């Protein structure tokens, strides 16, 4: 366990350095924007719309006293989406999708000696391969999360309007009441930390893979499990730090 | 010239190299032979510094790797070319991009110069129509040849080949051996080749080291190898019917 931490920090020391050639870094960064960001849009959109809808419906069903105004539905949905669902749950989904991809890509390069081939050319392979991935995740995930927020709130609206449980007017009043901009800061701070966890932990498990194709598979499983656990733990820590 | 002096290397309890010394000469095909699992790959990776050695030193024409600073090592690395067992081509790049990769990253040449060099190297390994193929479209022999082209792109002084002809048919294997040998002589490279193939030994073995159980048991040339009375060595080289007949 301690060995693992040590190895992780040693790897990060190699990763976080000036790229040898910026041209390669930028090129790689944009490729990663695409493969980590754009290719995740679909799943993020679908999950956000449906979760927003469910959140809104459940809130609406549970309001059975006229003392609570129906505008609560919009408010609760917004709070749930912005504070927790988008930054945390979507990050967990991304840990599965993006994390396994990063770990298997780097793991394959490791077991097929492509990483050794980079090293033998005098290239810092950790920096060359991992820095663009971490940077891309940190930059692109906040956008994904903001998109998820809008779509989640939209999903809630769609559910309310199509079921006639809440009027469009009430829902919109709800989502506009008691809005604290700090909640966005809080959500995006979490997102950035989670993005770093996903990219760096997955890259780490890929990088220490030994053996063959089977080991690449198990590295990618480990990457997803460990980054998910870390996300949950850091969610608690960051919530303590940022909201108290 | 590369000299390995008293190298020890263990992985946990498993001592893979135990006080290994050997002199690899310039302009020669230096072969490391031994059974599968005897430590050939580990030895080679210790020489090039992909693995840290526990004891001993590796001397590159008077430059001792373990005593060098990171910057000097990087420079030395640029004088090395290595051919990995599976080829280790970058699988998201074309053949041309693979061979050009070290030039792109490590030199300041113009695009035209780089392309010239790439075509020269590909031509040298008899692959002149493959520029735009992806590694997944190549046969085993072609993969090895592209890997050789990439390894010689930077004009290396030292060339390392890990089982260059494993997994190839005897004819293609022979061609790859010839190619490595020609390049070695042509550019006076210090070449080290790992192999378990007796054909390669008899074909291009200018200087041969036999390793088993973490030690070098015998050193000599292809002319001497069949007549040696080293018991350990004979167990290995006369394991096949072919070599036994040759002996007679
Ligand atoms: N990275 C590693 N970690 C632990 N053990 C290793 C590692 N690489 C090689 N070994 C062990 O070293 C021994 C020699 O392996 P190797 O050099 O690959 O043999 P070969 O002569 O077939 O190339 C084997 O017992 C292998 O299990
Ligand atoms: Mg080997």
């Amino acid at each position: 366990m301690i060995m693992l931490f040590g190895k992780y920090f040693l790897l990060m020391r190699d990763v976080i350095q000036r790229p040898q050639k910026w041209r390669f870094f930028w090129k790689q960064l944009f490729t990663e924007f695409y493969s980590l960001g754009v290719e995740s849009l679909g799943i993020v959109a679908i999950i956000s719309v449906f979760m927003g809808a469910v959140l809104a419906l459940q809130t609406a069903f549970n309001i059975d006293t006229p003392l609570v105004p129906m505008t609560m539905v919009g408010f609760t949905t917004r709070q749930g989406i912005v504070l927790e669902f988008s930054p945390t749950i979507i990050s967990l989904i991304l840990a599965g999708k993006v994390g396994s991809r990063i770990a298997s890509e780097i793991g394959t390069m490791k077991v097929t000696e492509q990483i050794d081939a980079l090293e033998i050319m005098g290239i810092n392979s950790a920096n060359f391969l991992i820095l663009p991935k971490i940077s891309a995740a940190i930059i692109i995930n906040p956008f994904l999360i903001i998109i998820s927020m809008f779509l989640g709130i939209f999903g809630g609206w769609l559910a309310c309007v199509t079921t006639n449980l809440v009027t469009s007017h009430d829902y919109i009043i709800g989502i506009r009441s008691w809005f604290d901009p700090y909640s966005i800061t809080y959500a995006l701070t979490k997102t950035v930390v989670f993005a770093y966890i996903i990219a760096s932990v997955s890259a780490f498990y890929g990088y220490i893979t030994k053996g063959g194709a089977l080991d690449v598979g198990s590295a990618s499983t480990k990457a997803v499990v460990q980054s998910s656990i870390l996300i949950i733990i850091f969610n608690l820590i960051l919530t303590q730090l940022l909201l108290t | 010239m590369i000299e390995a002096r008293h190298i020890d290397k263990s992985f946990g309890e498993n001592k893979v190299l135990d006080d290994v010394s050997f002199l690899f000469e310039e302009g020669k095909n230096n072969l490391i032979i031994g059974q599968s699992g005897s430590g050939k790959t580990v030895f080679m990776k210790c020489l090039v510094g992909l693995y840290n050695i526990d004891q001993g030193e590796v001397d590159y024409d008077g430059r001792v790797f373990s005593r060098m600073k990171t910057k000097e090592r990087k420079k030395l690395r640029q004088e090395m070319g290595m051919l990995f067992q599976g080829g280790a081509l970058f699988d998201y790049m074309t053949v041309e991009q693979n061979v050009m990769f070290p030039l792109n990253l490590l030199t300041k040449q113009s695009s035209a110069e780089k392309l010239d060099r790439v075509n020269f190297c590909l031509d040298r390994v008899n692959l002149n129509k493959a520029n735009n193929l992806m590694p997944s479209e190549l046969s085993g022999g072609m993969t090895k040849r592209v890997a050789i082209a990439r390894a010689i792109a930077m004009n290396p002084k030292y060339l390392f080949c890990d089982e260059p002809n494993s997994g190839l048919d005897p004819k293609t294997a022979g061609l790859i051996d010839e190619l490595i040998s020609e390049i070695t002589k042509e550019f006076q490279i210090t070449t080290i080749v790992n192999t378990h193939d007796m054909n390669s030994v008899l074909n291009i073995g200018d200087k041969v080291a036999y390793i088993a159980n973490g030690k070098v048991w015998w050193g000599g040339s292809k002319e001497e190898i069949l007549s040696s009375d080293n018991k350990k060595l004979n167990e290995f080289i006369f394991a096949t019917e072919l070599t036994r007949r040759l002996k007679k």
Side-chain angles (χ1 to χ4, degrees):
Chain A
M1 184 74 176
I2 292 175
M3 281 273 288
L4 217 54
F5 269 109
K7 271 191 187 168
Y8 173 83
F9 286 112
L10 280 179
L11 179 67
M12 284 306 124
R13 200 192 55 186
D14 285 342
V15 169
I16 299 168
Q17 279 180 16
R18 260 169 61 97
Q20 263 160 307
K21 278 232 168 153
W22 283 101
R23 196 163 64 81
F24 268 82
F25 175 79
W26 294 123
K27 209 174 126 201
Q28 213 44 44
L29 187 69
F30 280 92
T31 316
E32 300 297 347
F33 279 157
Y34 189 82
S35 68
L36 305 185
V38 178
E39 289 192 348
S40 302
L41 267 177
I43 189 167
V44 168
I46 292 172
I47 293 179
S48 303
V49 171
F50 277 82
M51 285 300 290
V54 171
L55 219 55
L57 290 182
Q58 282 182 349
T59 317
F61 284 134
N62 281 303
I63 298 177
D64 43 15
T65 145
L67 290 178
V68 180
M70 272 327 219
T71 52
M72 273 313 280
V73 175
F75 172 73
T76 312
T77 306
R78 186 201 74 207
Q79 289 299 84
I81 296 269
V82 169
L83 293 178
E84 222 32 65
F85 170 73
S86 286
T88 310
I89 305 297
I90 293 292
S91 289
L92 284 172
I93 303 281
L94 290 174
K97 184 175 184 297
V98 170
S100 61
R101 186 200 169 98
I102 292 177
S104 56
E105 184 183 326
I106 293 184
T108 304
M109 291 189 75
K110 180 69 188 296
V111 301
T112 57
E113 298 182 305
Q114 291 177 51
I115 288 186
D116 285 339
L118 287 171
E119 287 290 326
I120 200 75
M121 293 172 191
I123 293 162
N124 175 349
S125 63
N127 171 271
F128 183 79
L129 295 172
I130 302 176
L131 190 64
K133 292 194 196 304
I134 294 181
S135 318
I138 287 179
I139 296 169
I140 207 82
N141 281 21
F143 287 100
L144 286 174
I145 299 307
I146 288 172
I147 292 170
S148 157
M149 288 173 181
F150 278 106
L151 289 175
I153 291 168
F154 166 74
W157 174 83
L158 204 63
C160 291
V161 175
T162 50
T163 56
N164 281 322
L165 281 169
V166 184
T167 63
S168 175
H169 179 255
D170 278 353
Y171 186 82
I172 289 168
I173 291 193
I175 60 176
R176 295 175 62 172
S177 38
W178 302 295
F179 180 68
D180 179 1
Y182 184 69
S183 60
I184 299 288
T185 315
Y186 160 77
L188 292 186
T189 309
K190 291 209 298 190
T191 302
V192 168
V193 173
F194 297 161
Y196 173 77
I197 290 174
I198 295 169
S200 69
V201 170
S202 307
F204 170 70
Y205 277 104
Y207 205 82
I208 61 169
T209 311
K210 270 183 200 158
L214 221 55
D215 306 276
V216 175
S218 85
S220 123
T221 309
K222 264 189 229 152
V224 174
V225 172
Q226 299 300 335
S227 43
S228 301
I229 293 174
L230 283 171
I231 286 175
I232 298 292
I233 294 173
F234 272 86
N235 189 30
L236 183 65
I237 295 174
L238 288 173
T239 304
Q240 280 286 327
L241 285 176
L242 295 170
L243 292 189
T244 52
Chain B
M1 178 227 58
I2 301 173
E3 189 174 9
R5 289 194 281 262
H6 309 293
I7 293 183
D8 283 357
K9 174 70 186 173
S10 305
F11 291 104
E13 293 290 285
N14 180 11
K15 189 152 198 180
V16 180
L17 300 177
D18 183 4
D19 195 24
V20 173
S21 299
F22 202 75
L23 180 72
F24 302 97
E25 293 174 38
E26 189 176 307
K28 285 192 178 176
N29 305 305
N30 301 275
L31 268 53
I32 302 170
I33 63 170
Q35 242 179 309
S36 187
S38 56
K40 302 184 293 293
T41 301
V42 171
F43 186 29
M44 188 170 273
K45 288 190 175 176
C46 285
L47 291 176
V48 300
L50 285 173
Y51 289 147
N52 291 320
I53 51 179
D54 304 334
Q55 284 294 326
E57 49 191 30
V58 183
D59 185 331
Y60 283 84
D61 292 304
R63 298 169 292 178
V64 177
F65 193 84
S66 54
R67 289 195 217 132
M68 294 168 83
K69 298 199 185 75
T70 315
K71 245 200 177 143
E72 296 170 314
R73 284 185 188 179
K74 250 184 202 159
K75 245 178 128 189
L76 177 59
R77 283 269 167 88
Q78 295 178 13
E79 297 174 16
M80 298 178 185
M82 185 157 174
L83 171 60
F84 290 88
Q85 196 159 352
L89 299 180
F90 303 121
D91 38 32
Y92 55 96
M93 295 182 194
T94 63
V95 164
E96 182 178 299
Q97 288 167 337
N98 260 286
V99 181
M100 202 181 278
F101 182 82
L103 302 173
N104 277 336
L105 243 113
L106 305 167
T107 71
K108 293 196 162 62
Q109 297 176 4
S110 73
S111 302
E113 282 172 313
K114 285 186 282 198
L115 193 60
D116 264 1
R117 179 70 194 160
V118 169
N119 285 329
F120 171 81
C121 294
L122 284 173
D123 204 41
R124 192 64 199 79
V125 298
N126 307 320
L127 273 179
N128 29 31
K129 291 194 193 70
N131 288 45
N132 296 318
L133 295 178
M134 297 302 288
S136 56
E137 298 171 305
L138 304 175
S139 69
M142 284 163 92
T143 303
K144 298 274 167 129
R145 281 188 281 161
V146 176
I148 294 175
R150 187 178 68 185
I152 61 172
M154 293 282 293
N155 239 325
K157 277 180 75 173
Y158 313 100
L159 182 63
F160 301 87
C161 307
D162 193 6
E163 311 252 3
N165 50 22
S166 71
L168 301 179
D169 61 89
K171 182 143 187 274
T172 315
L175 289 174
I176 297 283
D177 282 343
E178 291 292 336
L179 188 57
I180 291 172
S181 182
E182 282 169 25
I183 290 169
T184 301
K185 308 280 144 123
E186 197 175 321
F187 304 106
Q188 283 297 301
I189 301 173
T190 306
T191 298
I192 303 182
V193 180
N194 278 351
T195 184
H196 58 245
D197 184 357
M198 279 308 291
N199 290 318
S200 308
V201 175
L202 298 174
N203 196 0
I204 61 166
D206 299 331
K207 191 164 184 192
V208 183
Y210 170 66
I211 67 171
N213 307 332
K215 287 182 183 298
V216 173
W217 293 89
W218 186 84
S221 71
K222 64 180 178 200
E223 287 80 17
E224 298 157 347
I225 199 164
L226 289 177
S227 51
S228 149
D229 52 11
N230 185 308
K231 258 186 91 184
K232 264 293 217 216
L233 175 72
N234 287 350
E235 271 171 34
F236 177 76
I237 58 175
F238 296 117
T240 67
E241 181 62 29
L242 211 64
T243 43
R244 279 196 294 272
R245 284 199 191 163
L246 205 64
K247 174 96 174 171
K248 282 181 205 150

